[in-house]
C-alpha cells in the first residue's frame, strides 16, 4: 500500500504516538482516529512510525492490534486481516482477535478474508463465543449447509446441554432432508428444552408430510402431542402407526395405558385403547374401557356396539360384553335385540352377580318394552325360573306360550325341566309332540338326539343281557362295543343266528365290507329255513355287500334270488333295474367313493360305486393294462390297504395319464392323507380329460366336505347328479350337508332320495333312527329300512323325492 507522508505531523498524531510509547494503546487509538477524521491522509504518518516500532518488536501483539484497528477504521480490511493473521500465529486464543475478525465481517461483508482464519482456529479447538457465532453464520450465508452441519455436529459433542445448538442443527438437517437425523436431534432437544415441545411437534409434522410411514417419527409426534396436552392428535397418529405396523400393538397399548393416567376420561384414548385390546384378544379390559367410554360419551354408542359385536363374534359367551350390549340396546330402545341378548345371557351358567344382573334386566325389559315383546319376555322369565330351579313356576308360565311363536322354545325348555326332574317319559312325550308340529327344527332334532343318547347311556349301564346291550350300543352308534357284545353270544343263545347278521351289519357300517361279506355268507349257510324273512333279509345284505365290494354280477345274482323268494321285497325291482342298466362287463373300470361317517366317532372308508353311463368297449381294450391296475387299486382301497392301492393307481396313470377313473380313485387317497391341494390338481386333470364324468364332481365334493366348505361341496354333488341322476351317494352327501347347515327339510328330502334303489339304506337308517323314539327291536335292525313304513312324522314321510 502506497501512503503519502507529510512532513508536518498532526497534533493528534503526535499525542497518539506519545501514548504508544507509554503503551497506552487504547488512548493512542482514540487520538489516531481523531487525526484521521481531521485529515484522512494522516494514516500514512501514523503507520510509518508504528511499523518502524513493529520491525524492532515484531511480537508486540498490542501494537499489531492497534494497527489492525486503524486499518479497520479506514476500511482497509485486507490489511487488517493480514495483521490479525500474524497475531493468530503469536496467540491464537487472544479474545480480541475474534472480536476484530467479527468487525471486519460485519463492516466489510467479505467472508473470504476471514473464513480461512476462523476455520483454522476452530480446527485448533478454539471455542471463542464470537467465533462460534460467526463461523456458522458465514456458512449459512454462503449456503454451505453441509459445512454448517459438520460445525454444529462437532459443537454438540462439546456442549451436550446447549439446546440452541441442537435446535439449529435439527433445522439444518431438516433443510438438507436428513429426516432421520433431524428426528433424533429434535428428540434430544425436547429432552433439554421441554418448553419447546409445541414448536418441535410442528416441525415434525412437516417431516411427516414427506414420510407418512416413518414409525419412529410418528411415535415421537405422539409423545409430544401427549406432552402438550393434545390427546386427540396423539391417538390419531397412534392409529396410523398400528395401521402401518401391526406388531406395534403391544407398545401402542402401553403408551395409551400410560396416557390414560393423565387423561382418564379422554374419549379418543378410551376408544383406541379398547380397540387395540380387542385386537390383542384382551376382551375383559377392553369392555371395562368401553363401559367407561359409554358413561362419559353416549354419542359413541354405535362405535361401542360394533366393538362389542367383534368381541362376541370371537367369544360369544363373553358375559361382560353381553351385559354392556344389553345396556346399550335397552337405552336405545332396541327391544328386539335386547331380548336376544338377554336370552344369550340367561343361557350362561356363571356367577351370582351375573344372576342378579339378569333378574334386574328381565324386570327392566318387562317394564320398558311394548306389548309386542311380552311373549318373548315371558320366555325369558321362564328361563330365569329355570336357572333358579323354580321348576313349577317355570312350567306354569311356559304353558301360556302354547300356540304362540315361542311354542317350540317353550317346549324345549320344558324338556330341560323334565330332564332336571328326571322325568324321562315326560321329556320324550314333549319331544315327540313337538316333532309332529316342528319337524324341521334343527334345535329340536338335536334335543331328541341328545335325550335319546342320555336314555341309552342310562340303560346300557343297567343292562346285563348281551343282545339287548348290543342293540343299545348299535342304537347309540357305538359299533365297536356293539360288535363286542354280539361276538360274546354263543350258539346256544336263541338269537345266535340273528346276531350273526347284526355282526355283519356292524362290519358293513364300519367300512370293513370284505369281512361283512364273509360274515353274511357264513350266516346264510347256517340258516335252515330258506324261505324265512330272516334268511331273505340276510341274503339282501349279502347282495349289498357284493355290490359295495364291486362284485356287481354276483350282487345282481343274489338280488334275483331275493326276488324269487319275495317278489314284493322293498326297493328290489328298482335296485335290480339300476344295476342291470350299469355296464357290468368284466372289462369295466372299477371306481370307488370315500364314505364320510355321519357320526364323528367312526372312521372314513371306501365302497364301490358304479358309473351309470356305459363306457366305450374299444377304448377299454386299448387301455386294458391301465384297467387292470386301476381295478386292483380299487380292491385295495375297499380293503383299506392304502399303500398297495396307491402303487396300483400310480401305475395305471403312468400307462394312461388321462384315465379319469384312476385319477378320481387316486384323488380319494390324497383326501385320506389330507393332501387337499394334490387332490384338487388330480381332479383338474381328470376333468380336462372328461368333463362329463360324474366321478370328478363327486370326488371334488368330498374334498370340499372334508374342508368344511359346505356350500361348494353341495354345488359339486349337484353337478355329479346332473351327469348321473341315479348316483345314490350324491343324494346321501347332500342330505348330510344340508343337515350340517341346519336346512333339515332338504336334508330329509335328499336322504329319502337316497332310498330310491335301497343299496345305501343302512346308511340312511344310521342318520335318522334317533327320530324313531320307541325302542328298536332286533328285527328293526335286521330288516331294510323304509321311510314309507316307518313311524316318522307324516311331514317327513311325505317329503317330495
Amino acid at each position: 500500500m502506497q501512503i503519502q507522508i507529510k512532513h508536518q505531523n498532526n497534533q493528534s498524531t503526535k499525542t497518539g504516538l506519545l501514548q504508544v510509547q507509554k503503551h497506552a494503546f487504547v488512548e493512542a487509538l482514540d487520538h489516531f482516529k481523531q487525526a484521521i477524521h481531521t485529515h484522512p491522509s494522516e494514516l500514512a504518518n501514523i503507520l510509518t512510525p508504528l511499523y518502524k516500532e513493529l520491525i524492532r518488536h515484531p511480537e508486540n501483539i498490542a501494537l499489531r492490534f492497534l494497527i489492525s484497528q486503524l486499518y479497520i477504521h479506514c476500511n482497509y480490511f485486507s490489511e487488517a486481516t493480514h495483521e490479525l493473521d500474524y497475531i493468530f500465529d503469536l496467540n491464537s486464543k487472544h479474545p480480541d482477535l475474534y472480536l476484530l475478525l467479527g468487525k471486519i465481517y460485519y463492516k466489510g461483508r467479505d467472508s473470504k478474508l476471514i473464513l480461512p482464519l476462523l476455520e483454522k482456529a476452530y480446527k485448533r479447538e478454539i471455542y471463542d463465543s464470537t467465533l462460534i457465532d460467526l463461523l456458522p453464520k458465514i456458512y449459512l450465508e454462503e449456503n454451505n449447509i453441509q459445512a454448517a452441519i459438520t460445525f454444529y455436529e462437532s459443537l454438540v459433542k462439546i456442549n451436550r446441554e446447549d439446546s440452541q445448538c441442537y435446535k439449529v442443527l435439527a433445522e439444518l438437517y431438516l433443510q438438507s432432508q436428513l429426516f432421520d437425523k433431524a428426528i433424533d436431534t429434535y428428540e434430544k432437544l425436547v429432552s433439554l428444552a421441554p418448553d419447546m415441545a409445541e414448536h418441535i411437534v410442528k416441525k415434525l409434522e412437516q417431516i411427516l408430510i414427506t414420510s407418512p410411514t416413518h414409525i419412529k417419527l410418528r411415535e415421537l409426534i405422539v409423545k409430544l402431542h401427549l406432552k402438550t396436552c393434545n390427546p386427540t392428535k396423539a391417538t390419531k397418529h397412534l392409529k396410523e402407526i398400528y395401521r402401518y405396523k401391526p406388531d406395534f400393538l403391544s407398545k401402542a397399548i402401553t403408551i395409551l395405558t400410560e396416557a390414560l393416567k393423565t387423561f382418564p376420561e379422554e374419549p379418543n384414548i378410551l376408544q383406541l385403547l379398547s380397540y387395540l385390546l380387542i385386537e390383542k384378544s384382551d376382551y375383559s379390559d377392553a369392555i371395562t374401557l368401553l363401559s367407561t367410554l359409554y358413561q362419559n360419551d353416549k354419542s359413541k354408542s354405535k362405535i361401542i356396539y360394533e366393538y362389542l359385536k367383534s368381541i362376541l363374534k370371537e367369544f360369544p359367551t363373553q358375559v361382560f360384553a353381553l351385559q354392556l350390549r344389553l345396556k346399550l340396546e335397552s337405552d336405545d330402545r332396541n327391544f328386539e335385540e335386547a331380548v336376544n341378548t338377554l336370552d344369550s345371557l340367561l343361557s350362561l351358567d356363571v356367577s351370582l352377580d351375573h344372576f342378579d344382573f339378569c333378574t334386574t334386566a328381565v324386570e327392566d325389559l318387562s317394564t320398558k318394552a311394548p306389548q309386542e315383546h311380552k311373549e318373548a319376555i315371558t320366555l325369558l322369565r321362564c328361563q330365569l325360573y329355570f336357572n333358579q330351579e323354580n321348576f313349577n313356576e317355570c312350567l306354569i308360565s311356559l304353558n301360556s306360550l302354547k300356540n304362540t311363536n315361542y311354542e317350540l322354545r317353550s317346549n324345549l325348555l320344558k324338556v330341560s325341566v323334565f330332564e332336571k326332574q328326571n322325568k324321562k317319559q315326560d321329556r320324550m312325550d314333549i319331544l315327540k309332540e313337538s316333532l309332529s308340529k316342528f319337524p324341521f327344527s334343527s334345535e329340536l332334532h338335536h334335543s331328541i338326539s341328545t335325550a335319546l343318547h342320555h336314555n341309552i347311556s342310562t340303560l346300557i349301564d343297567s343292562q346285563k343281557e348281551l343282545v339287548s346291550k348290543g342293540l343299545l350300543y348299535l342304537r347309540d352308534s357305538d359299533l365297536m362295543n356293539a360288535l363286542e357284545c354280539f361276538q360274546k353270544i354263543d350258539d346256544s343263545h336263541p338269537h345266535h343266528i340273528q346276531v350273526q347278521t347284526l355282526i355283519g351289519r356292524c362290519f358293513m357300517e364300519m367300512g370293513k365290507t370284505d369281512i361283512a361279506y364273509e360274515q353274511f355268507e357264513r350266516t346264510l349257510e347256517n340258516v335252515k329255513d330258506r324261505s324265512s324273512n330272516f334268511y331273505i333279509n340276510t341274503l339282501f345284505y349279502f347282495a349289498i355287500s357284493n355290490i359295495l365290494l364291486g362284485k356287481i354280477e354276483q350282487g345282481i345274482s343274489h338280488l334275483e334270488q331275493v326276488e324269487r323268494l319275495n317278489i314284493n321285497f322293498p326297493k328290489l325291482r328298482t335296485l335290480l333295474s339300476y344295476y342291470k342298466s350299469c355296464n357290468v362287463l368284466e372289462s369295466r373300470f372299477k371306481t370307488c367313493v370315500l364314505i364320510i361317517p355321519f357320526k364323528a366317532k367312526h372312521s372314513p372308508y371306501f365302497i364301490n360305486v358304479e358309473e351309470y353311463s356305459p363306457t366305450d368297449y374299444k377304448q377299454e381294450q386299448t387301455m386294458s393294462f391301465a384297467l387292470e391296475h386301476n381295478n386292483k387299486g380299487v380292491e385295495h382301497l375297499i380293503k383299506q390297504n392304502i399303500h398297495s392301492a396307491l402303487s396300483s393307481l400310480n401305475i395305471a396313470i403312468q400307462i394312461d395319464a388321462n384315465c379319469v377313473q384312476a385319477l378320481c380313485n387316486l384323488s380319494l387317497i390324497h383326501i385320506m392323507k389330507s393332501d387337499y391341494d394334490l387332490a384338487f390338481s388330480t381332479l383338474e386333470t381328470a376333468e380336462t380329460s372328461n368333463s362329463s364324468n360324474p366321478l370328478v364332481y363327486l370326488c371334488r365334493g368330498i374334498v370340499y366336505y372334508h374342508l368344511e366348505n359346505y356350500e361348494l361341496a353341495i354345488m359339486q354333488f349337484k353337478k355329479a347328479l346332473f351327469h348321473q341322476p341315479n348316483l345314490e351317494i350324491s343324494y346321501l352327501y347332500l342330505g348330510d350337508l344340508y343337515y350340517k347347515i341346519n336346512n333339515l327339510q332338504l336334508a330329509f328330502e335328499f336322504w329319502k332320495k337316497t332310498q330310491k334303489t335301497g343299496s345305501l339304506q343302512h346308511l340312511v337308517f344310521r342318520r335318522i333312527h334317533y327320530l324313531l323314539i320307541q325302542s328298536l327291536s332286533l328285527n328293526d335292525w335286521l330288516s331294510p329300512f323304509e321311510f314309507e313304513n316307518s313311524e316318522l312324522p307324516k311331514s317327513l314321510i311325505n317329503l317330495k323325492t
Side-chain angles (χ1 to χ4, degrees):
M1 181 180 69
Q2 296 182 352
I3 300 175
Q4 294 181 355
I5 302 174
K6 294 184 178 182
H7 295 289
Q8 187 174 5
N9 288 334
N10 184 294
Q11 183 60 42
S12 294
T13 301
K14 289 180 182 180
T15 306
L17 291 172
L18 289 173
Q19 294 296 329
V20 169
Q21 290 175 4
K22 297 177 181 178
H23 296 161
F25 296 106
V26 175
E27 291 81 358
L29 179 61
D30 289 338
H31 288 293
F32 290 149
K33 285 180 179 180
Q34 181 63 38
I36 294 167
H37 179 73
T38 307
H39 301 288
S41 60
E42 188 65 17
L43 178 62
N45 294 328
I46 297 170
L47 289 174
T48 300
L50 294 180
Y51 272 110
K52 287 180 180 179
E53 179 64 21
L54 198 57
I55 291 170
R56 290 193 294 271
H57 303 285
E59 295 182 358
N60 189 335
I61 291 176
L63 184 57
R64 287 190 182 276
F65 268 123
L66 178 61
I67 293 170
S68 298
Q69 287 174 300
L70 287 172
Y71 280 138
I72 293 168
H73 180 70
C74 298
N75 295 331
Y76 293 121
F77 302 122
S78 179
E79 288 78 0
T81 305
H82 181 72
E83 289 301 327
L84 293 173
D85 200 3
Y86 271 109
I87 295 172
F88 182 84
D89 291 337
L90 294 171
N91 184 2
S92 60
K93 294 184 179 181
H94 199 294
D96 292 344
L97 171 65
Y98 302 102
L99 284 173
L100 292 183
L101 287 172
K103 280 188 179 182
I104 292 170
Y105 175 73
Y106 288 116
K107 289 188 72 176
R109 289 293 172 183
D110 188 356
S111 60
K112 292 178 182 177
L113 289 173
I114 65 169
L115 184 58
L117 192 57
L118 291 172
E119 288 179 332
K120 188 161 63 173
Y122 193 72
K123 284 179 182 178
R124 291 189 183 182
E125 298 182 351
I126 296 171
Y127 305 122
D128 184 88
S129 59
T130 303
L131 182 150
I132 289 171
D133 178 61
L134 192 55
L135 188 54
K137 189 172 291 186
I138 293 171
Y139 287 143
L140 293 175
E141 287 188 4
E142 292 182 350
N143 203 30
N144 190 349
I145 303 299
Q146 185 53 52
I149 286 172
T150 304
F151 174 80
Y152 276 106
E153 282 177 342
S154 61
L155 199 61
V156 295
K157 289 178 183 177
I158 298 159
N159 188 356
R160 297 181 181 276
E161 304 301 319
D162 190 340
S163 60
Q164 190 58 34
C165 285
Y166 281 101
K167 180 184 176 184
V168 176
L169 181 58
E171 290 175 356
L172 290 171
Y173 283 141
L174 192 58
Q175 192 173 343
S176 299
Q177 296 189 340
L178 298 170
F179 297 132
D180 285 340
K181 289 188 175 182
I183 293 164
D184 291 340
T185 308
Y186 277 127
E187 189 172 17
K188 176 65 178 175
L189 176 59
V190 79
S191 67
L192 294 173
D195 57 320
M196 294 182 68
E198 199 166 333
H199 164 78
I200 293 168
V201 79
K202 288 178 182 177
K203 293 287 185 180
L204 294 174
E205 296 272 14
Q206 292 175 14
I207 300 174
L208 193 62
I209 295 170
T210 57
S211 302
T213 61
H214 199 301
I215 302 303
K216 185 176 180 181
L217 170 59
R218 281 194 186 272
E219 193 175 348
L220 182 56
I221 289 172
V222 168
K223 178 181 175 182
L224 295 179
H225 277 314
L226 291 173
K227 199 177 195 69
T228 56
C229 297
N230 196 339
T232 302
K233 287 186 177 180
T235 51
K236 174 190 168 187
H237 286 291
L238 261 181
K239 192 182 296 183
E240 288 298 299
I241 293 173
Y242 178 61
R243 185 165 72 89
Y244 291 124
K245 192 174 186 243
D247 61 358
F248 194 78
L249 178 63
S250 295
K251 193 168 185 181
I253 289 172
T254 302
I255 292 170
L256 288 169
T257 302
E258 193 61 31
L260 203 59
K261 296 176 183 177
T262 308
F263 310 99
E265 296 181 356
E266 169 57 40
N268 292 290
I269 293 179
L270 290 167
Q271 182 179 330
L272 181 56
L273 182 53
S274 60
Y275 170 78
L276 295 176
L277 288 169
I278 292 168
E279 291 288 289
K280 195 184 175 186
S281 300
D282 191 349
Y283 300 134
S284 295
D285 287 344
I287 295 162
T288 301
L289 293 174
L290 290 173
S291 181
T292 304
L293 177 61
Y294 184 63
Q295 290 172 13
N296 295 334
D297 190 350
K298 294 291 190 293
S299 68
K300 297 283 187 180
S301 61
K302 286 186 178 179
I303 294 171
I304 295 169
Y305 194 86
E306 287 303 312
Y307 285 0
L308 292 173
K309 190 176 176 182
S310 67
I311 292 172
L312 291 167
K313 183 179 179 181
E314 297 299 320
F315 189 1
T317 59
Q318 220 297 335
V319 176
F320 300 114
L322 289 167
Q323 288 181 350
L324 181 55
R325 190 172 80 174
L326 178 61
K327 180 172 177 56
L328 266 65
E329 290 163 346
S330 180
D331 288 352
D332 291 342
R333 302 189 67 78
N334 186 355
F335 296 116
E336 187 172 348
E337 291 300 324
V339 165
N340 292 334
T341 302
L342 184 50
D343 190 18
S344 298
L345 279 165
L346 285 166
S347 68
L348 304 177
D349 183 16
V350 285
S351 66
L352 185 62
D353 289 342
H354 169 69
F355 179 79
D356 292 341
F357 176 89
C358 290
T359 303
T360 304
V362 168
E363 295 309 318
D364 184 54
L365 274 183
S366 181
T367 304
K368 289 182 179 178
Q371 186 64 34
E372 62 194 86
H373 298 290
K374 294 303 179 183
E375 289 175 356
I377 294 170
T378 298
L379 182 63
L380 293 178
R381 184 174 283 106
C382 291
Q383 183 66 56
L384 191 61
Y385 288 143
F386 177 82
N387 293 352
Q388 294 171 322
E389 298 189 356
N390 188 349
F391 300 132
N392 289 334
E393 286 294 333
C394 180
L395 290 171
I396 291 169
S397 296
L398 286 172
N399 288 332
S400 68
L401 296 174
K402 193 172 181 64
N403 298 321
T404 69
N405 292 332
Y406 297 93
E407 182 177 359
L408 175 59
R409 290 285 308 277
S410 167
N411 288 350
L412 289 171
L413 189 52
K414 284 181 183 178
V415 168
S416 299
V417 172
F418 293 142
E419 184 180 353
K420 288 282 188 181
Q421 294 176 328
N422 200 26
K423 295 179 179 179
K424 295 180 182 179
Q425 190 56 50
D426 288 343
R427 180 173 61 168
M428 296 310 292
D429 288 345
I430 195 70
L431 286 170
K432 191 173 181 179
E433 177 190 330
S434 300
L435 185 62
S436 63
K437 294 187 72 171
F438 310 100
F440 303 115
S441 163
S442 58
E443 196 173 2
L444 178 59
H445 280 254
H446 176 73
S447 294
I448 293 170
S449 181
T450 302
L452 181 66
H453 171 71
H454 289 163
N455 287 353
I456 291 172
S457 298
T458 305
L459 291 170
I460 286 173
D461 291 338
S462 60
Q463 186 58 255
K464 302 298 181 185
E465 203 279 317
L466 285 174
V467 174
S468 299
K469 192 165 190 173
L471 289 172
L472 288 170
Y473 278 126
L474 195 59
R475 185 79 189 270
D476 205 32
S477 299
D478 191 345
L479 297 175
M480 285 299 295
N481 277 320
L483 195 58
E484 186 178 345
C485 288
F486 295 146
Q487 287 175 333
K488 289 179 180 179
I489 296 170
D490 58 36
D491 53 10
S492 64
H493 195 285
H495 296 302
H496 173 263
I497 192 68
Q498 288 89 343
V499 166
Q500 300 314 300
T501 296
L502 289 184
I503 290 173
R505 177 168 182 146
C506 287
F507 281 125
M508 194 159 64
E509 285 199 48
M510 291 166 67
K512 301 182 184 296
T513 315
D514 52 336
I515 301 175
Y517 168 87
E518 295 170 358
Q519 181 70 21
F520 292 136
E521 188 175 40
R522 282 195 302 270
T523 304
L524 288 170
E525 291 172 357
N526 293 319
V527 178
K528 295 177 181 178
D529 183 2
R530 302 208 167 188
S531 62
S532 66
N533 287 336
F534 170 68
Y535 179 83
I536 297 170
N537 289 338
T538 305
L539 184 59
F540 175 78
Y541 280 125
F542 182 52
I544 296 301
S545 65
N546 275 273
I547 290 170
L548 297 181
L549 287 169
K551 300 177 180 182
I552 306 301
E553 288 181 318
Q554 295 94 316
I556 291 172
S557 175
H558 295 307
L559 288 173
E560 288 174 336
Q561 190 180 350
V562 171
E563 186 180 34
R564 287 193 294 273
L565 292 169
N566 181 0
I567 196 169
N568 295 317
F569 194 88
K571 307 291 184 185
L572 188 61
R573 288 181 181 177
T574 308
L575 192 59
L576 273 169
S577 175
Y578 173 73
Y579 280 104
K580 283 181 178 181
S581 64
C582 292
N583 178 8
V584 294
L585 295 171
E586 286 299 324
S587 60
R588 80 187 191 283
F589 277 87
K590 289 185 178 181
T591 51
C592 63
V593 67
L594 183 65
I595 296 293
I596 304 171
F598 195 58
K599 298 292 184 180
K601 66 176 75 172
H602 302 156
S603 300
Y605 60 89
F606 298 92
I607 61 170
N608 174 76
V609 64
E610 290 302 311
E611 290 181 274
Y612 184 74
S613 303
T615 55
D616 187 89
Y617 181 77
K618 291 181 180 178
Q619 182 189 28
E620 289 184 345
Q621 292 299 308
T622 60
M623 300 186 339
S624 58
F625 291 110
L627 179 145
E628 179 185 353
H629 291 289
N630 171 78
N631 290 358
K632 281 185 179 178
V634 172
E635 289 171 10
H636 288 309
L637 279 179
I638 291 173
K639 292 179 180 179
Q640 305 291 328
N641 189 342
I642 305 298
H643 180 75
S644 297
L646 183 60
S647 177
S648 295
L649 291 171
N650 279 329
I651 294 171
I653 292 168
Q654 286 171 13
I655 294 170
D656 181 4
N658 295 316
C659 181
V660 177
Q661 294 87 347
L663 288 165
C664 290
N665 292 329
L666 182 61
S667 73
L668 298 175
I669 296 178
H670 297 322
I671 297 171
M672 284 289 283
K673 292 175 172 286
S674 300
D675 196 341
Y676 303 118
D677 289 339
L678 195 52
F680 278 126
S681 64
T682 304
L683 291 169
E684 282 176 14
T685 305
E687 186 177 11
T688 303
S689 177
N690 185 352
S691 61
S692 63
N693 193 305
L695 295 174
V696 175
Y697 307 107
L698 179 64
C699 293
R700 190 177 285 142
I702 294 171
V703 183
Y704 283 125
Y705 192 163
H706 266 267
L707 292 170
E708 297 184 1
N709 192 332
Y710 298 145
E711 294 297 332
L712 288 179
I714 288 170
M715 288 173 59
Q716 293 300 314
F717 290 129
K718 286 183 177 180
K719 279 186 179 181
L721 287 170
F722 175 78
H723 293 289
Q724 186 173 332
N726 291 328
L727 194 59
E728 268 187 320
I729 188 64
S730 289
Y731 290 118
L732 183 76
Y733 274 145
L734 284 168
D736 290 358
L737 290 166
Y738 280 117
Y739 189 92
K740 286 182 180 294
I741 62 175
N742 296 325
N743 188 337
L744 267 64
Q745 182 165 352
L746 282 178
F748 279 87
E749 282 181 15
F750 280 108
W751 283 337
K752 190 173 182 182
K753 286 180 180 181
T754 310
Q755 283 239 293
K756 272 189 175 182
T757 61
S759 61
L760 300 179
Q761 61 81 29
H762 59 288
L763 295 179
V764 176
F765 188 67
R766 176 56 58 194
R767 284 150 173 75
I768 61 90
H769 72 75
Y770 67 90
L771 294 176
L772 306 171
I773 296 176
Q774 78 288 353
S775 297
L776 293 180
S777 66
L778 178 64
N779 192 56
D780 291 320
W781 291 99
L782 293 174
S783 304
F785 168 74
E786 291 183 279
F787 266 85
E788 293 81 356
N789 297 324
S790 70
E791 294 185 13
L792 291 172
K794 289 182 180 180
S795 50
L796 292 175
I797 294 173
N798 296 328
L799 285 167
K800 65 180 182 179
T801 57

